[in-house]
Every structure is written in structure tokens, then in C-alpha cells.
Amino acid sequence: MRTYRFELDLQLFNQEKTEKATPKKREDSRKKGQVAKSQDLAGSVILLFVFASFSMLGDFYKKRINGMFGGLFHDWLTMELTAGNVMELFVNITIEMLIMLTPIFAIIMIVGVIGNVIQFGFLLTGEPLKMQLNKLNPIEGFKRIFSMRSLAEFFKSILKVTIIAILVYIALIREWKNILVLSSQPIEAIFAFTADLTVSLGIEIGAVLTVLAFLDFLYQKYEHEKSIRMSKQDIKDEYKKSDGDPIIKGRIRERQRKMALQRMMQDVPKADVVITNPTHFAIALKYDASKMEAPTILAKGMDHVALRIREVAKENGVLTMENKPLARALYERAEIGDVIPGDLFQAVAEVLAYVYKMKGRTKRS
């Protein structure tokens, strides 16, 4: 019973998402559009820069507004309207408005792109646009509405509205004396005061919302990291999928070893001699002066492989010689297909000379 309980606890521990996401998990989440992103950061930065542009390009906007409305009230409203000049009037007003709004559109596009790229880099994916039937499930919908994330978004919205209201209240209190005397001021002074107050208030609100949005981005990043955490079992499963099942890989390696051993055994009958230890090592050598610069190792093995090499050599009439130090040196310092090391030439040459001498005697007899 205790063993079963321990195994159950171990399984539950392996299923707990306590590990950081692997690079593959992060990449898969990114392809699905699951990235750390604050919905408010780009908007708040755009708001800040737009009002800052009003402050920096005030003369440009003033000139365009005065020109458009001055022409409208002084010239266009007193002109005799015809089918031809109505269209001209509409085109002129449209062009003037587009010229005046061009800096705002440019700021929205540039800051919007940069704001998103800074958060999660350049990303183009259509995965979030795909239809997901689970989103049509009313139960899941209620869960999303009353989830902790929705509650956090609700309180975040209340916080933003409260901060904006406080900033507006402070600005009105600060300028209250000037507001009270506006009725005695000329129209131009009223418009100038209202514009200055609106721009300054917009910059303050944009700056505060940008700070809140940045904090929200840090929170969203924390939540994202938490959502893509993996359990130990998830990491094992991912490793198996990406690198292959260790059992299958072991079987493949075993089959490869068998095939390599089989090919090696097919070369043993071609050898001139097999040098042994006599039981632990066996090395099959071949030397053809017309094709080889030095003797070459056709096969080598230890223990049961060495036994199999000796058996094949015996079956095919290949001479076997015992030389313990030479056998060990050849096994440790050369691989199959390599020529023998230079410092072993003399020892191998003596063995081959003896082998050729024995083969010559055998042929004469």
C-alpha cells in the first residue's frame, strides 16, 4: 500500500508544471500567437506621442486649422455654389484634413508597430484567427468572463479611469482661477488656453498610462511564463518526440552493430593472419604490396567477438598467431580499415614474414 501511494505521489509530482518551458515549447507557443503582450502598451504610447506631437508641431496645426476654417468662413461660405465648385470644395477640404492628420497617422503606424515589436518581436501568424469551436461553448465563455484574468482586467480598467479622473481634477483645480476669467478673454486667448490645457493634460495622462501599461506588460510576461511551464513528464515526452524513443534508438544501434559485425566477419577470410592475446583480443591483418602501403586491419574484437574471429579464421584456413603485447597494442591504437601504426611495422613485419614462410612450406608439402 505504501509503495502504491509513493508511486502515485511520484506521478502527481511529475505532472506538476514546475519546469521552465523548453525552447521548442516557446517556439510552438509563439507560432500559435501565444506571446507576452500588454494590450494597453502600444495604445498608451501612441496617446503620449500624439499629444507630444501637438506640443512640438503646434505651429503646423495652428496654421492648417486657421487656413482651413479661415477659407471656409471667409471665402467658401460666401461663394455661389454650383455643381462644379462643390466637388472642388469637398476635395480641397479633404486634402487639407489629410495633410493635417498625416503626422498623427504616421505616429500611430510607427509607434504601434514598434510598440508590438518591442514586446514580442516580429511575428506574423494566422493561428489566432482560426475558428475554434470551444470558444462557442457557453460554459467556457462563462468561465472566461468570471475568471481571475477577467477580474484583473476589470480592476485595471477601474484603476485607469480613476487615475485619469484624478489627473483631470488636479489640472482643473490648478487652472481654476484662469478658467473663471475666460469669459472676459478674447476668443483667440480662450482657444490658446484650452489647447494648452488639453495638450498638457493629454501628455500627463499618456505618461501615466504608459507606466501602468509597462507594469501590465511585466505582469503579462509573468503570466505567460507561468502558462507555458512544463511538467517533468512533458519534458520527457518532448525529448522522445524530438530525439526519438531511447528504446527504439537502442534497437537501431544494436542492429547497426550486428550489421557492422557481420560485414567485418566477411572480411576475416581475406586476412593473412589473425593475431591473438590469445583469448581476450583478436586482430585480422591483410597486406598486399601492390595495393597497400602498409598492413591494414580488416577486423578486430574483444572477448566473444575475438572468439568469433578465431572461429571464422580457423574455418577458412587463416593462420592464427599468439602475440599478447602486439595484439593489445593493435586493438587499442588502430581501428578497422586503418593501417598499422608506424612503430609497430617491425613487429608486424616479423609476423607476416613468419606467416609467408609457413604458407610456403604448406604449398611445397
Side-chain angles (χ1 to χ4, degrees), residues 126-327:
E127 192 69 25
L129 302 178
K130 291 182 178 180
M131 183 177 180
Q132 298 180 5
L133 296 179
N134 61 340
K135 291 185 177 181
L136 302 178
N137 188 343
I139 298 177
E140 294 295 329
F142 279 114
K143 287 182 179 179
R144 286 194 296 270
I145 292 174
F146 297 102
S147 64
M148 289 299 297
R149 179 180 289 271
S150 299
L151 189 62
E153 292 294 327
F154 173 72
F155 281 111
K156 186 173 68 175
S157 301
I158 292 179
L159 178 62
K160 289 191 294 185
V161 172
T162 303
I163 290 176
I164 292 173
I166 292 174
L167 291 176
V168 172
Y169 176 77
I170 293 174
L172 292 177
I173 292 298
R174 186 174 62 238
E175 301 292 341
W176 187 248
K177 291 182 179 180
N178 294 328
I179 294 174
L180 291 177
V181 299
L182 282 179
S183 59
S184 60
Q185 300 294 324
I187 298 297
E188 186 176 353
I190 294 175
F191 279 126
F193 173 78
T194 305
D196 290 340
L197 180 61
T198 303
V199 170
S200 61
L201 187 58
I203 292 176
E204 290 177 5
I205 293 174
V208 173
L209 292 182
T210 299
V211 173
L212 292 178
F214 179 73
L215 296 177
D216 178 61
F217 169 68
L218 296 179
Y219 171 74
Q220 297 296 337
K221 191 172 184 179
Y222 166 76
E223 286 292 325
H224 175 68
E225 291 293 329
K226 186 178 178 181
S227 66
I228 62 174
R229 281 179 185 173
M230 304 174 68
S231 64
K232 295 182 182 296
Q233 187 62 42
D234 291 336
I235 295 177
K236 291 179 181 178
D237 294 340
E238 180 185 292
Y239 174 78
K240 288 181 180 180
K241 290 179 181 179
S242 60
D243 198 48
D245 193 329
I247 298 177
I248 296 177
K249 290 179 67 177
R251 292 176 180 174
I252 294 174
R253 285 195 295 267
E254 181 64 26
R255 181 173 296 181
Q256 290 174 342
R257 282 195 294 268
K258 289 182 179 179
M259 293 176 64
L261 181 62
Q262 185 177 1
R263 288 194 299 268
M264 185 179 68
M265 291 304 174
Q266 291 174 355
D267 291 336
V268 173
K270 304 175 186 177
D272 293 324
V273 63
V274 173
I275 301 175
T276 64
N277 196 28
T279 56
H280 293 296
F281 301 101
I283 295 89
L285 297 177
K286 171 74 175 179
Y287 179 60
D288 187 346
S290 61
K291 298 179 181 180
M292 303 177 183
E293 296 180 358
T296 303
I297 297 177
L298 297 183
K300 74 171 190 175
M302 185 173 63
D303 296 333
H304 68 280
V305 177
L307 176 61
R308 180 58 183 158
I309 291 174
R310 292 197 303 273
E311 291 176 351
V312 174
K314 185 177 180 181
E315 293 172 359
N316 292 271
V318 178
L319 186 63
T320 300
M321 288 191 61
E322 178 182 339
N323 190 324
K324 295 181 180 181
L326 181 59

